[in-house]
């Protein structure tokens, strides 16, 4: 809680917690009492605790010698927090002796940890209670004020008790107190001592120590030998040395801090020493003198003695000299300065470690004062500089130093400058320590830039020098180059006449300080050059020692302040050469190389490209000697060279066990990867990464190491590198065939031992981590081995998660996945290890990432997590639920647990049953009622959604949302048992829908919104059959509270907000998107189930509709950003659905839609693809709804223009794309691979593609604009027709783009219906587009069979459909343009004659609707063409004859099939292999919903069969009527042949033979007059059937399946058929009678047969007409050459006198003559 890692984050909550517990903190370790009989009695009397727990509590009390009540409390806490079993297993453990002993020892560890944590809390408070940057400073400060009174005295006495404590034995503490346990106890004792001292030290850093306290502390520490004279020192072993040292360090620091040297220094400067607290305590001083004179035998005494010398020297300079001198000498003999640097290193390295930095402050004061007070020579100089560097590494001290650079430690700096550049190290070491922030960098840079002394050492006096007599001053006679470098290189030039002061002179040699100004930076450059020169000589080691401090300084400078890097270019640019030269010598200087690489890492962070290109040439990094082409070549590492680094690792670092260069190398490569280099550089990094994956990751844990913690560090760095690679954005890597860094990593981790290494890291397990954390001293801060281990494991989780996520899908399971999911024996498989990380308490991110990985595995891996957990399953579930229920648990873990369960609902049935823990009510097997078990996760989830909990700190919105998502998953997965329990919970629906009634802030702050969203979803997923009353009430309330309007308005404003905010709005984008899609879902449900959802009022509907429209408009008309487009697209979908559902109440929205369209068309094409399509769709719907009559829309011209532009562009794009595809198809033989590899552009041909919809919209608009006032001008402006026609031609030739072709033909058809349109279409060259290319659409079967006619449903788009459309188009053009189009029409017929003839024949064998449809279209076209018989006869005489014969046969086929229904039914069944034809009904019938459930019972099936039969009959009838109408053109005109005596009969061929048998279903029997009579008969019988059914309803009949308009149409069709049939019959008969080539006998027979047959027919007809029947529609269809054109409905004076009946009667009379 104090660290801010819990759910309690508010200062007030922290304050309350501290207030509750401050007393325990105040008592410290004395809070834990020793056992007592009274306490034992209370435990026995307590009725609330179970007996076994009491007994066990007493055993704990004995082992730990802890108060009995506290022992029972401890046990309960342990069971709650740390116990890793279930309640049931606990009972077994307590009964079993061995298991209960193990439990006791675990509780002992838990108790020790509790004691430490208590002290750590106090330490934390003392660390931050004066830190202004800390968020809880005020609360900590309050608490420290309460604690302050006698904290130290209490803690001091506790410390004394600890070091005097007798070690426990088995006699006093029970037989579990073995040697091992005693050692564990003593380790704990030392730890507590060290922590108590740390607290006391920090306390005195803030509060003054009185002189008497100092005395008592000194006595105490002396007695205890500064930690070395422990009562139990016989128990100290090697592993405890560090702790004992630490106790010594802290003891000596407490005494130094108590003397308050800082204040003393201040008093000395201001000359008011009497203000110091010791000036008024002479007695104490005397006693201290005596005490300290006895010290001096252990190093810990050094600092205390030194500080006391200063104190005595300052306060009583007169009387103290002998004592002071003696004590001072003792201090120096103890090597006090060396000790100080060791101590500061030992206290901890990291910057944010408070104890260490406070110690540094304390020592800083001591050193400053020592240097000011005493002669420098009398101190040990080199150790002093080390100590100073350690001190100055504290963050704030460097700035303090630069404020007064000539005081205190500044004197050390001066002396270091005095020896520069003879000794480079000391000065640079100090300056490196003095770099802490940008301001200090500038100071250090300038300091080195302006040096005024140059110190040199000479063995002998040089010749070019003049010296004074006393040899104290020298003078140069000649100018001199200071470095022996070649001409033209950087150098230092000391001019003539420079004076030099001889500091030390004599026989041993001279030290001369020349008075010469220069820049050290130039000097450093020369030093590096020198090293490059001497690299292969014996001097290299000495030179390396000079260059390393330079490199370290450069590294620190550029990492602190990048802006100086330009000035350092002469140095940084030489690093590459240094690397190259140094790594290639026989015994390379590893530390210098590491410094070089470290510098490059810092440079690479800012300019990765430059560093990479320069490094590339040094040979330092691994490289590939031949180009990388395939993954297998990469992974086998053939042709890869390890580079100088690889050799260094194997030959030097691994044998020595020191890895400075490796650590630097890993950092460098990681920096380069993160630098987002281009793909070529990344390819160059492949050998480096491969070295890491192959040579380092699998084996690094087996290398030799000299220093503890380096192995963890290297593991962590390797994983950081892989993590960085896996997080590269794919755009940065070109997706070619050659491997990329990312694909290489994924492949290696999935398939090689690198992956196994990562699995081993994850398998470290929670226990090992706890052991490492327990072993490290508390002061390690964030840098200890435990933290690094945790970090490594977290990275391993993340890496594995990413590898599984990014791995290309394949059928084979990779070794990595196998390793993750295999069931190991003894439950040691990885899944259990991952799940057990839930027990980890230190770092909340660790369990969270482990659960995240479990979540990923649960979705991708084919295994049961439940089975993997084995016997631990229940215990792990309890641990998950405990963390989920805890009020203080970090929220993100809770959210992750819920997300994991949400995923498990779908993929892990066993696991989710375990978590739901449902128990059957009543306990008998059959009963279906369930109850929640005690350990069910639903308890927690229901708590979380409880409306009373909202806004409490333990249930923030995110968590609420996760809980709702979990419930949603249960719903979607149909977990009926769980849902049934939930539904019965009172208030469930109310709690669930609560969020929907809240009011939200305006969209500026949208985080609140999103937890409301899942409620929306939940409503969506209700089962509409059985709603609980409470849910119905909820929906009613939702409607009544005007929430539909509210949310609609909210969603609209949200969309508008995102549209306006552009960039800022993006951060909430995923949530916005979710909210809108949830709302969309709710709206769709509300439209389909408006009664249940209580959405019925038209006003509300209108409001919702307009909101959606405004939202769409806002999102799509602003300047575009991707989020806007996505939202716009979602809103457009909703708009479309509402339009379709609410046709009646939809307002006129053409103008806003056309505005949106314009905006959309101007936007970036690729992103807008789907949205455009939706807008086009919406416009089509609107036009259809309004059923517009010409000229009433103002937007027409503009809309037309936009649409035509789109159509033209899309068509051109399609042409390019199709050409590209066909080229690809030529190069790639295998069709499948073409599909995947070809770069399908944005021009995919889809039924709802932009192109197709634009064509449909254009069609609707052209249909609206019938008189063509607008479209003509638009088509003139925009070359739509040519581009569409060329695209169609190409599509037909290549047989691509089916939907496009279909839509284009529909548009042309619409245009062809008006004269202008037809002319435009024909003029644009439609015949060239369609005529020949259409051949590639169908295959004509060679033997004339009907194989080529599909039995496919006629609704789905297919190429035969395109052929039919072309037919219709020709028909339409011919009908509209007449003679202007006749040549083109004849061309068409000529080209496609085979298909046409086959099609007419095929009706006999294939009665599928598609085939009939084609026949219908074909006959329709022939009907139009037959008006031009003479032209046809002239151009294509043979084809004309064939067509006539085929039409007659077709007539015969149709009649036969219509005549015998049973036969037709049988045919349909036989052809389709089943009773139902696959084709749904044509569109004139009702929508084919009854076909969907075939097996819904015999009645339905029969009805469906009836319907199918009826559809085929209707189709046949249509074909028959058109066939007869066509034949009528091929037979002489009735009037003419009856009245005109001199008519040329040769012009008309005989079509029917003289025979009167009923038609047979046999191709060998020629069509005859019997056929025609039969046709009339069939038509008549169908007519009377229709009429009869009207009067007496029969269960299944035509009438029951069709509506009244359809029946009317059917009757008209039958009449039309009869009329035409009579007409052809009369005409043919008259021709026969006139034909001289026919024998008179035959003519006679013809007359007889006809008169009898026709008379019979006439009587039936007149009977029928008396009952009242429709008049013939013929007048509209029959050509006008008819003798007396009857007008529709013109009934003569008495019925039966229909005009065509009169004609027949007249003919009969003629025949009977």
């Amino acid at each position: 809680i104090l660290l801010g890692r819990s759910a309690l984050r508010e200062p007030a909550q922290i304050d309350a917690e501290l207030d509750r517990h401050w007393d325990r903190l105040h008592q410290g370790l004395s809070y834990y009492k020793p056992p007592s009989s009274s306490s034992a009695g209370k435990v026995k009397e307590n009725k609330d605790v179970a007996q076994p727990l009491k007994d066990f509590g007493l055993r704990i009390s004995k082992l730990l010698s802890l108060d009995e009540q506290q022992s029972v409390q401890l046990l309960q806490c342990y069971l709650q927090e740390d116990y890793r079993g279930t309640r049931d297993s606990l009972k077994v453990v307590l009964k079993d002796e061995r298991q209960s002993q193990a439990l006791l020892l675990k509780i002992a560890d838990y108790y020790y940890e509790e004691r430490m944590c208590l002290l750590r809390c106090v330490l934390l408070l003392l660390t931050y209670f004066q830190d202004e940057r800390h968020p809880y400073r005020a609360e900590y400060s309050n608490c420290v004020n309460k604690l302050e009174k006698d904290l130290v005295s209490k803690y001091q006495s506790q410390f004394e008790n600890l070091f005097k404590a007798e070690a426990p034995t088995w006699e006093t503490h029970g037989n579990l107190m073995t040697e091992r346990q005693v050692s564990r106890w003593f380790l704990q004792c030392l730890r507590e001592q060290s922590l108590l001292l740390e607290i006391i030290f920090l306390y005195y850093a803030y509060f003054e120590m009185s002189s008497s306290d100092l005395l008592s502390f000194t006595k105490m520490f002396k007695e205890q030998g500064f930690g070395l004279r422990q009562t139990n020192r016989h128990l100290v072993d090697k592993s405890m040395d560090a702790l004992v040292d630490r106790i010594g360090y802290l003891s000596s620091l407490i005494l130094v801090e108590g003397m308050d040297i800082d204040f003393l220094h201040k008093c000395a400067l201001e000359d008011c020493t009497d203000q110091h607290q010791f000036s008024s305590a002479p007695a104490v001083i005397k006693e201290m003198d005596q005490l300290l004179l006895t010290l001096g035998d252990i190093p810990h005494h050094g600092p205390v003695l030194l500080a006391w010398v200063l104190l005595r020297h300052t306060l009583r300079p007169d009387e103290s000299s002998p004592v002071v001198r003696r004590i001072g000498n003792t201090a120096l003999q103890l090597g006090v300065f060396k000790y100080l640097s060791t101590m500061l290193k030992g206290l901890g390295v990291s910057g944010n470690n408070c104890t260490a930095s406070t110690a540094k402050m304390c020592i800083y004061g001591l050193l400053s004062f020592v240097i000011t007070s005493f002669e420098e020579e009398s101190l040990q100089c080199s150790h002093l500089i080390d100590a100073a560097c350690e001190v100055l590494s504290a963050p704030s001290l460097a700035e303090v130093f630069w404020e007064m650079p000539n005081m205190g430690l500044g004197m050390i700096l001066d002396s270091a400058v005095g020896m520069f550049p003879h000794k480079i190290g000391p000065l640079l070491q100090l300056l490196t320590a003095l770099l802490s922030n940008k301001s200090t960098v500038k100071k250090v840079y300038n300091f080195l830039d302006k040096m005024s002394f140059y110190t040199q050492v000479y063995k002998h006096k040089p010749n070019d020098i003049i010296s004074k007599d006393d040899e104290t001053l020298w003078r140069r006679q000649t100018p001199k180059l200071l470095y022996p470098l070649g001409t033209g290189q950087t150098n230092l030039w000391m001019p003539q006449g420079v004076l030099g002061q001889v500091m030390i002179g004599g026989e041993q040699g001279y030290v001369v300080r020349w008075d010469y100004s220069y820049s050290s930076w130039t000097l450093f450059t020369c030093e590096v050059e020198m090293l490059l020169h001497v690299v292969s000589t014996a001097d290299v080691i000495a030179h390396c020692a000079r260059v390393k401090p330079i490199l370290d300084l450069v590294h620190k400078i550029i990492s602190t302040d990048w802006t100086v890097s330009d000035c350092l270019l002469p140095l940084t640019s030489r690093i590459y050469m240094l690397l190259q030269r140094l790594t290639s010598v026989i015994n390379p200087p590893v530390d210098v190389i590491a410094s070089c690489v470290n510098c490059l890492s810092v440079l690479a962070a800012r300019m990765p490209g430059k560093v990479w290109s320069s490094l590339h040439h040094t040979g330092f990094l691994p490289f590939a000697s031949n180009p990388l082409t395939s993954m297998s070549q990469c992974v086998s590492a053939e042709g890869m060279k390890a580079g100088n680094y690889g050799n260094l690792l194997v030959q030097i670092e691994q044998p020595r066990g020191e890895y400075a260069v490796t650590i630097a190398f890993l950092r460098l490569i990681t920096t380069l990867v993160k630098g987002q280099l281009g793909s070529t550089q990344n390819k160059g990094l492949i050998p480096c990464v491969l070295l890491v994956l192959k040579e380092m990751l699998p084996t690094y844990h087996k290398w030799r190491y000299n220093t503890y913690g380096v192995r963890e560090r290297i593991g962590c760095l390797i994983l950081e590198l892989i993590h960085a690679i896996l997080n590269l954005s794919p755009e940065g890597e070109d997706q070619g065939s050659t491997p990329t860094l990312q694909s290489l990593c994924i492949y290696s981790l999935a398939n090689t031992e690198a992956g196994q290494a990562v699995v081993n890291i994850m398998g470290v397990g929670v226990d090992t981590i706890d052991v490492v954390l327990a072993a490290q001293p508390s002061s390690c801060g964030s840098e200890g081995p435990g933290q690094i281990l945790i970090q490594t494991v977290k990275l391993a989780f993340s890496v594995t998660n990413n590898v599984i996520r990014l791995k290309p899908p394949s059928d084979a399971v990779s070794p990595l996945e196998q390793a993750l999911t295999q069931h190991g024996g003894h439950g040691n498989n990885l899944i259990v290890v991952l799940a057990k990380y839930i027990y980890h308490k230190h770092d909340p991110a660790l369990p969270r990432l482990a659960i995240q990985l479990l979540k990923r595995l649960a979705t991708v891996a084919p295994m049961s997590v439940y089975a993997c957990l084995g016997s631990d399953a229940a215990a792990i579930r309890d641990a998950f639920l405990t963390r989920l229920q805890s009020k203080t648990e970090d929220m993100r873990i809770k959210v992750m647990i819920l997300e994991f369960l949400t995923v498990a609902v779908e993929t892990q049935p066993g696991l989710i049953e375990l978590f739901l823990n449902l128990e059957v009510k009543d306990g008998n097997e059959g009963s279906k009622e369930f109850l929640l078990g005690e350990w069910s996760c639903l308890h927690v989830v229901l708590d979380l959604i409880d409306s009373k909990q909202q806004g409490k700190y333990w249930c923030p919105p995110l968590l609420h949302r996760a809980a709702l998502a979990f419930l949603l998953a249960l719903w979607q997965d149909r977990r009926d048992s769980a849902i049934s329990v939930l539904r019965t919970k009172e208030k469930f629906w109310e709690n669930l829908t609560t969020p929907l009634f809240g009011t939200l802030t305006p969209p500026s702050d949208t985080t609140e919104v999103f937890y409301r969203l899942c409620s929306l979803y939940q409503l969506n997923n209700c089962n509409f059959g059985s709603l609980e009353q409470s849910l119905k009430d909820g929906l009613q309330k939702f409607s009544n509270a005007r929430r539909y309007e509210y949310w609609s308005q909210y969603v609209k404003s949200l969309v508008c907000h995102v549209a306006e905010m552009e960039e800022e709005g993006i951060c909430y984008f995923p949530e916005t998107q979710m909210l809108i899609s949830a709302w969309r879902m709710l709206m769709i449900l509300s439209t389909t189930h408006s009664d249940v959802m209580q959405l019925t009022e038209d006003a509300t509907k209108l409001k919702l509709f307009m909101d959606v429209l405004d939202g769409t408009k806002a999102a799509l008309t602003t300047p575009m950003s991707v989020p806007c487009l996505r939202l716009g697209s979602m809103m457009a979908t909703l708009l479309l659905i509402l339009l379709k559902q609410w046709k009646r109440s939809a307002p006129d929205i053409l103008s806003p839609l056309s505005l949106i369209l314009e905006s959309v068309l101007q936007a970036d094409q690729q992103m807008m693809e789907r949205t455009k399509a939706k807008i086009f769709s919406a416009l089509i719907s609107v036009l259809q709804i309004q059923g517009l009559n010409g000229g009433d829309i103002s937007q027409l011209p503009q809309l037309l223009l936009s649409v035509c532009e789109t159509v033209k562009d899309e068509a051109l794009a399609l042409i390019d794309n199709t050409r590209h595809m066909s080229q690809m198809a030529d190069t790639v033989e295998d069709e499948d691979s073409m599909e995947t590899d070809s770069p399908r552009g944005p021009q995919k041909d889809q039924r709802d593609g932009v192109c197709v919809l634009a064509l449909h919209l254009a069609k609707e608009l052209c249909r609206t604009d019938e008189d063509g006032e607008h479209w003509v001008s638009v088509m003139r402006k925009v070359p739509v027709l040519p581009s569409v026609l060329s695209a169609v031609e190409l599509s037909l030739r290549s047989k691509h783009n089916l939907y496009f072709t279909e839509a284009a033909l529909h548009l042309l058809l619409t245009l062809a219906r008006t004269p202008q349109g037809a002319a435009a279409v024909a003029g644009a060259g439609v015949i060239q587009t369609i005529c020949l290319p259409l051949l590639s659409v169908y295959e004509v079967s060679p033997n004339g069979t009907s194989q080529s006619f599909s039995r496919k449903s006629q609704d789905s788009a297919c190429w035969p459909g395109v052929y039919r459309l072309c037919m219709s188009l020709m028909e339409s053009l011919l009908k509209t343009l007449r003679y202007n189009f006749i040549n083109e029409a004849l061309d068409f017929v000529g080209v496609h004659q085979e298909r046409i003839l086959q099609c007419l024949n095929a009706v006999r064998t294939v009665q599928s609707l598609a085939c009939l449809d084609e026949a219908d279209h074909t006959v329709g076209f022939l009907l139009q063409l037959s008006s031009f018989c003479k032209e046809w006869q002239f151009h294509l005489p043979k084809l004309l004859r064939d067509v006539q014969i085929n039409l007659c046969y077709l007539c015969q086929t149709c009649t036969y099939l219509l005549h015998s229904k049973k036969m037709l039914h049988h045919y349909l069944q036989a052809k389709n292999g089943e009773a139902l034809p696959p084709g749904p009904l044509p569109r004139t019938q009702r929508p084919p919903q009854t076909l969907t459930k075939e097996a819904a019972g015999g009645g339905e099936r029969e009805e469906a069969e009836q319907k199918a039969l009826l559809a085929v009959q209707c189709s046949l009838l249509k074909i028959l009527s058109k066939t007869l109408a066509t034949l009528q053109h091929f037979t002489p005109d009735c009037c003419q042949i009856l009245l005109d005596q001199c008519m040329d009969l040769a012009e008309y061929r005989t079509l029917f033979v003289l025979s009167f048998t009923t038609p047979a279903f046999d191709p060998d029997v020629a069509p005859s007059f019997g056929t025609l009579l039969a046709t009339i008969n069939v038509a008549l019988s169908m007519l009377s059937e229709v009429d009869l059914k009207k009067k007496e309803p029969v269960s299944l009949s035509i009438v029951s399946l069709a509506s009244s308009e359809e029946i009317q149409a059917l009757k008209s069709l039958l009449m039309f058929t009869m009329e035409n049939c009579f007409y052809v019959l009369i005409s043919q008969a008259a021709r026969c009678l006139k034909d001289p080539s026919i024998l008179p006998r035959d003519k006679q027979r013809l007359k007889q047969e006809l008169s009898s047959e026709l008379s019979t027919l006439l009587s039936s007809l007149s009977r029928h007409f008396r009952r009242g029947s429709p008049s013939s529609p013929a007048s509209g269809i029959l050509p006008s050459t008819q003798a007396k054109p009857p007008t529709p409905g013109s009934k003569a004076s008495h019925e039966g006198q229909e005009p065509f009946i009169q004609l027949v009667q007249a003919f009969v009379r003629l025949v009977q003559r």
Side-chain angles (χ1 to χ4, degrees), residues 1294-1308:
S1294 60
K1295 211 164 165 188
H1296 272 103
N1297 312 327
L1298 172 61
Y1299 294 115
F1300 165 78
T1301 312
E1302 217 182 28
L1305 289 169
H1306 275 298
L1307 171 64
L1308 296 173

Side-chain angles (χ1 to χ4, degrees), residues 1440-1479:
L1440 177 63
R1441 182 77 197 118
D1442 290 347
V1443 165
Q1444 289 173 346
I1445 293 168
N1446 277 13
L1447 284 174
C1448 296
Y1449 273 109
L1450 180 60
C1451 181
Q1452 176 171 331
T1453 305
C1454 292
T1455 303
Y1456 175 73
L1457 288 171
L1458 283 169
H1459 171 66
S1460 54
K1461 272 192 199 169
K1462 283 199 177 129
M1463 195 66 189
L1464 180 58
H1465 193 175
H1466 169 71
Y1467 262 115
L1468 287 176
Q1469 281 183 322
K1471 286 287 184 299
N1472 294 313
E1474 59 194 67
L1476 282 181

Side-chain angles (χ1 to χ4, degrees), residues 170 355 384 490 529 553 879 932 966 974 1253 1401 1404 1416 1440 1477 1511 1570 1573 1628 1654 1707:
W170 61 271
T355 310
L384 190 56
T490 310
E529 276 293 337
L553 178 73
L932 291 188
F966 173 65
R974 309 266 165 86
L1253 287 169
N1401 268 328
R1404 208 180 73 254
D1416 188 14
L1440 177 63
L1573 289 167
Q1628 281 293 309
L1654 286 177
F1707 179 66

